[in-house]
Amino acid sequence: MSFQIKEQDKKYDVCIVGSGAGGGMAAKILSEAGLSVAVLEAGGDFDPAKEEYRTQLKWPWESPRRGANTQRSFGDFDAAWGGWDIDGEPYTRKDGTKFDWFRSRMLGGRTNHWGRISLRFGPKDFKRKDQDGLGDNWPISYEDVKPYYDKVDKLIGVFGTNEGLANDPDGFFLPPPKPRLHELFVKKGAAKASVPVIPSRLSILTRKINSDRGVCFFCAQCNRACQVYADFSSGTCLVKPAMQKGKVELYTHAMVREVITDNEGLATGVLYIDKKDLKEYRIGAKVVVLAASACETARIMLNSKSKAHPNGLSNSSGVVGRYLHDSTGTDRMAFMPELVDRPRYNEDGVGGLHVYSPWWLDNKKLDFPRGYHIEYWGGMGMPSYGFGFGMDTMRKYLLDEFGKPTANGGYGAELKKDIRRIYGTMVGMSGRGESIPQYDNYCEIDPDTVDKFGIPVLRFHYKWTQHEVRQAKHMHDTFEEILTGMGAVLLGEKPGENTQHGLAAPGRIIHEVGTSRMGDDPKTSALNKYAQAHDCKNLFIVDAGSFVSQADKNPTWTILALSWRTSEYIIDQLKKQNI
Amino acid sequence: MDRRENLKLLLTGTVATGFLLSTGCSPEDTKVAEKITGTGLYGRTTDEIAVDKKLKAETFFNEKEKNMVSILADIIIPKDETSGSATESGVPDFIEFMMKDYPKFQLPMRGGLMWLENLSLATFEKSFLEITAEQRIQLIDKIAYPDTAEEEMKFGVKFFNLMRNLTCTGFFTSQMGIKDIGYVGNRPNQWDGVPDEVLKKFNLSYDQKTLDQCLKIEDQQKLAQWDEKGNLIG
């Protein structure tokens, strides 16, 4: 049994910076091997089973803002402490480019509120350069990662179906929930557009996998974090269990400034600022594992300058911070006339989509490389801030008893009635796709700005290319085809060239990866194929910084698998006394 | 309250708030359930509690504005055979809070109320608070319909859109409004697909493949096991 401590100059076998997916997995695997582990988290402790943290099953009226997002980026009930902007922890942008950076400062990081979409990368995803000549291949293949994906499936639990698809590998799935009503309409529309729709793959326990975690009770609120641990969060499923079983000590409110190295350039520990007393502390370790998120890890490396590492830690290649890339994303919404006056029943289901569309086309016939998947949404969800808005433009879609459109706007009993009629008639879809990593998309240390802890902050430079813009255009063409095919009325204008076809600003999809990429050549990569730093053999990175390319999948399942793989390698190398 | 107790309560369906605390549980269960749900907080951090406290201590609307907001809210969402009115559901307090929580609302709201008051004075030589219900509707009709409103009413239309949005959202996110809209979730449930009669109404059905591969609700507590190929065998 471990507990939180605060001591100066404590020494451990391993010091892990960050408690999200990568850090949590490393803490579990390394501590189970008998190693002593310190986990440093820049935010507070969090456990959704504790009443003081719980937002699950709360009602909108329990929030004075009815769940509005004035305090938390995704609304008052969302389980993310932090957001796009954190007081006193700024970041900047260069040359008029855009990048938005989402940070969760809490145990488990962003795994507390994420969508639980848990997709393996496929064989093609590791070797994209071989197919289209763009970007680079990973130094590893699907076969290297498959055993770890298998283990992650069984350890953490994910529902889905084995479909035998070439680039969306099968796994060890729990049974998926049945589609909701709008999802059945989606299937109809997608069939007409020849777009496949299959059960989604989410790390939510529809069945029991062990005695420590409960099963889903279908409240649709995974983004609020689950009090019975029926969805995957790193804190509840990895860090806390590791603390109970092994020699794991958690330091919360520990803002790591730099990795300390010796004269040979080997890591000897980390230096952090305790956010509570604003004092500086050191933790010694034989091995340092960075898992602070792709950009925060790059920031720590770039801020860790020494004689042995003049360019920042393990950055002789100059690639740290570079090749930053996020998923592409754009959305469309529509109204389903057939669902007006729909019968009421509890449609909550799991937190998120019950069906999705994996990438289905051949790029040879398209004007852009790489693919995207489609996520679907709609249904009779719990009203929250924003529900009932927009009747000044929406009411015309409701026909009166003579089949005539109602006047937009209005007031009174008729308006009240129309809001009831329109409830549950909205459907939408979101495309999430793969972008091409670019050397010129990067984060670097801003020479002019420090945060409130005196730590130099990141400055971003990021531009989408025509590849991503054309992909977004294709997404919208597809959305319209599916929506029209399912009998929906498209809302809003189809975004045009002037908005890059509605392509979300980089960072908005919160899949940023690639800032300390792996590779066989130390001149063009920061890490080797085990995510071990080329220039510092006892430094490892287990967040998405190591990604060579982000697939048309969500990154978490790959972060978990790679972290497990790297952790086993660390254990092996310690045994062989190589580090 | 440990997690297991919590879980047990959830699975037996006794965790509920407000109008959901109902049948089949002992007084002890009810007490525990109230403990879970009755803290008046909802997972706030220390900083967030301080923000809410500060906002609640401030006052934005003056007495006259507050009266106008209440009158307008009840014009937008009146009492009917299904539920009460906007003011009965607490909408004015919600709007007051939002003014402070999202300061960008303040100018359009305050200016809009003044604009409407000026319109009332210009039309009836009386304050909006002193004119009759019919006279109020005469004014509201000029600004309630964005597509047909006259050009010089544009600011009023914008103001009334804001007022309509906040009133509707305030009402339908209140306890009264959620009941009215017929939302029956936010409680432990067993999702087993769209009810048959609903499928029938929309001429839809689950195909055999979907039925075969989807969760059988009765299996939820059975420990999942796979063969080496990933087929679920237990």
Side-chain angles (χ1 to χ4, degrees):
Chain A
M1 187 72 190
S2 314
F3 38 87
Q4 292 171 47
I5 53 131
K6 195 161 63 186
E7 253 177 71
Q8 226 165 343
D9 285 313
K10 253 205 112 172
K11 285 199 169 54
Y12 298 84
D13 293 324
V14 186
C15 174
I16 301 172
V17 181
S19 66
M25 182 60 87
K28 178 186 157 62
I29 303 303
L30 294 170
S31 66
E32 281 179 358
L35 298 170
S36 64
V37 176
V39 176
L40 276 67
E41 165 53 48
D45 196 4
F46 177 74
D47 182 347
K50 284 194 180 150
E51 181 55 25
E52 64 202 280
Y53 302 123
R54 183 172 69 85
T55 57
Q56 191 185 29
L57 297 185
K58 296 286 183 182
W59 292 96
W61 63 80
E62 295 181 69
S63 151
R65 57 185 64 76
R66 307 290 169 86
N69 66 350
T70 47
Q71 291 297 316
R72 297 192 183 184
S73 295
F74 293 117
D76 232 11
F77 298 102
D78 190 75
W81 299 347
W84 301 110
D85 296 297
I86 298 176
D87 205 25
E89 299 188 38
Y91 53 93
T92 61
R93 302 164 183 96
K94 203 175 168 184
D95 302 337
T97 65
K98 282 185 191 163
F99 189 86
D100 294 333
W101 189 20
F102 193 98
R103 293 162 290 175
S104 279
R105 298 296 196 209
M106 63 200 298
L107 178 68
R110 297 180 291 192
T111 63
N112 290 300
H113 87 285
W114 71 305
R116 271 74 179 186
I117 301 177
S118 303
L119 305 172
R120 296 178 180 214
F121 284 16
K124 289 181 183 174
D125 296 324
F126 291 95
K127 304 290 171 192
R128 283 293 175 195
K129 190 179 185 180
D130 287 348
Q131 297 146 51
D132 55 26
L134 298 167
D136 280 290
N137 291 330
W138 289 60
I140 53 176
S141 68
Y142 177 69
E143 291 310 313
D144 293 312
V145 192
K146 181 184 183 298
Y148 297 95
Y149 280 133
D150 289 352
K151 292 201 278 190
V152 171
D153 284 1
K154 289 177 192 169
L155 174 74
I156 288 172
V158 49
F159 71 71
T161 46
N162 285 333
E163 302 279 339
L165 299 169
N167 200 43
D168 300 272
D170 292 343
F172 293 81
F173 292 119
L174 300 168
K178 286 178 191 160
R180 302 180 179 94
L181 185 61
H182 67 274
E183 291 165 333
L184 290 172
F185 279 103
V186 163
K187 282 176 105 169
K188 261 170 71 173
K192 283 186 203 163
S194 303
V195 176
V197 176
I198 63 170
S200 54
R201 297 174 174 181
L202 312 185
S203 46
I204 297 169
L205 302 186
T206 51
R207 291 265 309 264
K208 209 150 181 70
I209 59 160
N210 61 40
S211 54
D212 298 329
R213 295 172 58 196
V215 294
C216 180
F217 54 81
F218 307 103
C219 73
Q221 296 169 19
C222 290
N223 73 314
R224 300 186 182 193
C226 184
Q227 61 190 305
V228 304
Y229 306 161
D231 56 16
F232 169 69
S233 296
S234 177
T236 58
C237 301
L238 296 172
V239 180
K240 288 274 165 97
M243 287 170 72
Q244 273 158 20
K245 273 201 217 156
K247 289 181 278 181
V248 179
E249 283 171 354
L250 171 67
Y251 293 69
T252 53
H253 303 289
M255 183 76 192
V256 171
R257 190 177 80 199
E258 59 185 90
V259 176
I260 310 160
T261 50
D262 62 16
N263 290 336
E264 269 84 67
L266 288 174
T268 57
V270 305
L271 188 155
Y272 72 92
I273 313 290
D274 187 311
K275 286 183 168 179
K276 291 209 154 143
D277 64 13
L278 298 180
K279 284 184 186 152
E280 197 180 289
Y281 295 87
R282 281 157 195 262
I283 286 188
K286 288 182 205 156
V287 172
V288 171
V289 175
L290 296 180
S293 84
C295 294
E296 195 72 54
T297 286
R299 179 184 177 200
I300 293 168
M301 292 173 81
L302 293 170
N303 274 329
S304 304
K305 283 187 185 170
S306 63
K307 227 178 232 171
H309 299 282
N311 212 11
L313 181 56
S314 190
N315 191 27
S316 63
S317 63
V319 302
V320 173
R322 294 201 174 262
Y323 299 105
L324 167 64
H325 58 296
D326 186 20
S327 294
T328 57
T330 189
D331 320 298
R332 190 73 192 267
M333 197 160 127
F335 158 71
M336 283 286 291
E338 218 176 320
L339 293 180
V340 171
D341 288 324
R342 59 184 295 191
R344 307 299 202 245
Y345 55 93
N346 184 341
E347 198 182 35
D348 283 349
V350 304
L353 51 159
H354 291 189
V355 298
Y356 88 116
S357 294
W359 177 239
W360 69 102
L361 292 173
D362 178 357
N363 292 96
K364 289 193 188 93
K365 296 166 193 156
L366 300 166
D367 66 351
F368 61 91
R370 318 288 166 97
Y372 58 88
H373 73 258
I374 308 175
E375 302 168 11
Y376 302 102
W377 34 277
M380 295 186 287
M382 176 156 52
S384 184
Y385 182 85
F387 179 86
F389 271 34
M391 295 307 280
D392 51 310
T393 58
M394 288 296 306
R395 232 180 139 190
K396 65 167 183 253
Y397 295 111
L398 292 165
L399 306 182
D400 66 17
E401 53 195 310
F402 308 108
K404 266 179 56 191
T406 311
N408 276 328
Y411 57 85
E414 290 300 309
L415 172 72
K416 202 176 174 186
K417 202 173 91 193
D418 277 355
I419 293 175
R420 291 174 197 137
R421 300 186 67 205
I422 210 167
Y423 173 55
T425 60
M426 296 299 148
V427 291
M429 39 198 73
S430 303
R432 298 288 181 257
E434 179 171 1
S435 62
I436 307 291
Q438 307 287 336
Y439 181 79
D440 281 328
N441 288 339
Y442 57 85
C443 54
E444 62 182 0
I445 297 301
D446 183 336
D448 298 325
T449 315
V450 292
D451 66 11
K452 68 175 170 187
F453 311 107
I455 307 172
V457 308
L458 284 179
R459 179 167 70 181
F460 291 92
H461 179 277
Y462 198 124
K463 280 183 187 165
W464 291 123
T465 71
Q466 278 309 303
H467 299 314
E468 291 82 30
V469 174
R470 288 196 196 115
Q471 195 188 69
K473 181 178 184 300
H474 192 272
M475 288 182 194
H476 277 286
D477 293 341
T478 309
F479 297 163
E480 292 203 343
E481 214 181 328
I482 298 173
L483 287 166
T484 311
M486 61 193 270
V489 176
L490 299 161
L491 297 176
E493 291 294 310
K494 186 178 187 174
E497 225 168 325
N498 57 333
T499 62
Q500 297 193 314
H501 300 282
L503 185 57
R508 293 308 290 194
I509 310 303
I510 323 185
H511 292 168
E512 70 280 1
V513 306
T515 46
S516 54
R517 65 179 195 166
M518 54 164 73
D520 291 327
D521 184 354
K523 288 196 198 74
T524 57
S525 58
L527 311 172
N528 70 13
K529 63 181 178 178
Y530 292 105
Q532 178 181 32
H534 284 305
D535 307 342
C536 179
K537 65 180 182 179
N538 64 343
L539 175 76
F540 296 82
I541 294 174
V542 297
D543 55 34
S546 71
F547 284 30
V548 177
S549 57
Q550 157 67 332
D552 53 55
K553 321 279 165 56
N554 306 48
T556 305
W557 225 238
T558 302
I559 294 173
L560 289 165
L562 291 180
S563 177
W564 196 325
R565 180 171 176 270
T566 294
S567 299
E568 284 188 356
Y569 180 75
I570 292 171
I571 294 162
D572 174 68
Q573 291 298 295
L574 282 170
K575 262 189 206 148
K576 290 180 179 153
Q577 297 190 316
N578 288 341
I579 49 175
Chain B
M1 161 82 11
D2 78 4
R3 199 170 54 78
R4 257 165 225 294
E5 260 179 273
N6 213 340
L7 173 64
K8 204 177 81 197
L9 278 165
L10 283 165
L11 294 175
T12 51
T14 49
V15 171
T17 55
F19 57 86
L20 267 173
L21 281 171
S22 59
T23 54
C25 48
S26 68
E28 191 48 37
D29 280 350
T30 308
K31 235 166 66 195
V32 178
E34 274 169 351
K35 209 171 118 197
I36 295 176
T37 56
T39 59
L41 286 175
Y42 54 107
R44 293 306 82 189
T45 65
T46 321
D47 290 351
E48 288 167 336
I49 291 169
V51 168
D52 284 5
K53 218 173 141 183
K54 180 176 161 279
L55 294 178
K56 281 177 181 168
E58 293 167 3
T59 309
F60 177 73
F61 289 126
N62 62 35
E63 209 48 38
K64 184 176 171 187
E65 288 168 335
K66 209 175 168 186
N67 287 337
M68 282 183 82
V69 165
S70 298
I71 289 167
L72 290 168
D74 277 355
I75 289 172
I76 293 165
I77 298 283
K79 183 177 162 68
D80 66 2
E81 65 279 2
T82 310
S83 62
S85 71
T87 52
E88 284 165 357
S89 76
V91 163
D93 287 345
F94 162 70
I95 295 180
E96 159 77 25
F97 184 85
M98 287 316 295
M99 293 302 116
K100 297 168 301 200
D101 194 39
Y102 189 68
K104 281 183 185 164
F105 281 150
Q106 292 181 1
L107 186 62
M109 177 60 77
R110 178 154 279 159
L113 290 168
M114 274 299 277
W115 182 93
L116 183 61
E117 176 69 353
N118 292 342
L119 184 69
S120 179
L121 290 169
T123 315
F124 302 112
E125 292 177 352
K126 268 184 184 173
S127 163
F128 187 78
L129 294 176
E130 290 159 5
I131 57 178
T132 65
E134 289 73 30
Q135 286 172 324
R136 284 177 189 146
I137 293 301
Q138 273 183 52
L139 298 184
I140 297 303
D141 277 338
K142 293 177 193 285
I143 58 175
Y145 299 96
D147 297 347
T148 49
E150 283 171 33
E151 196 57 29
E152 65 265 32
M153 291 292 134
K154 235 176 167 178
F155 189 85
V157 168
K158 252 180 110 174
F159 159 70
F160 199 71
N161 283 345
L162 173 65
M163 194 61 216
R164 188 192 299 105
N165 280 346
L166 290 174
T167 301
C168 292
T169 214
F171 178 79
F172 282 107
T173 55
S174 71
Q175 199 162 352
M176 184 189 283
I178 295 256
K179 198 175 170 194
D180 176 317
I181 204 84
Y183 170 72
V184 288
N186 196 33
R187 69 199 67 187
N189 182 37
Q190 294 190 317
W191 169 258
D192 197 20
V194 181
D196 285 341
E197 66 276 14
V198 179
L199 285 175
K200 211 174 274 169
K201 175 179 155 74
F202 293 102
N203 211 9
L204 290 165
S205 60
Y206 290 113
D207 57 48
Q208 197 53 46
K209 191 182 165 200
T210 301
L211 292 174
D212 290 344
Q213 67 192 7
C214 284
L215 172 70
K216 318 280 178 290
I217 280 295
E218 62 276 16
D219 290 346
Q220 266 209 298
Q221 297 294 333
K222 254 171 58 186
L223 198 69
Q225 284 174 307
W226 299 268
D227 67 14
E228 72 283 2
K229 284 186 176 148
N231 299 307
L232 203 56
I233 50 169

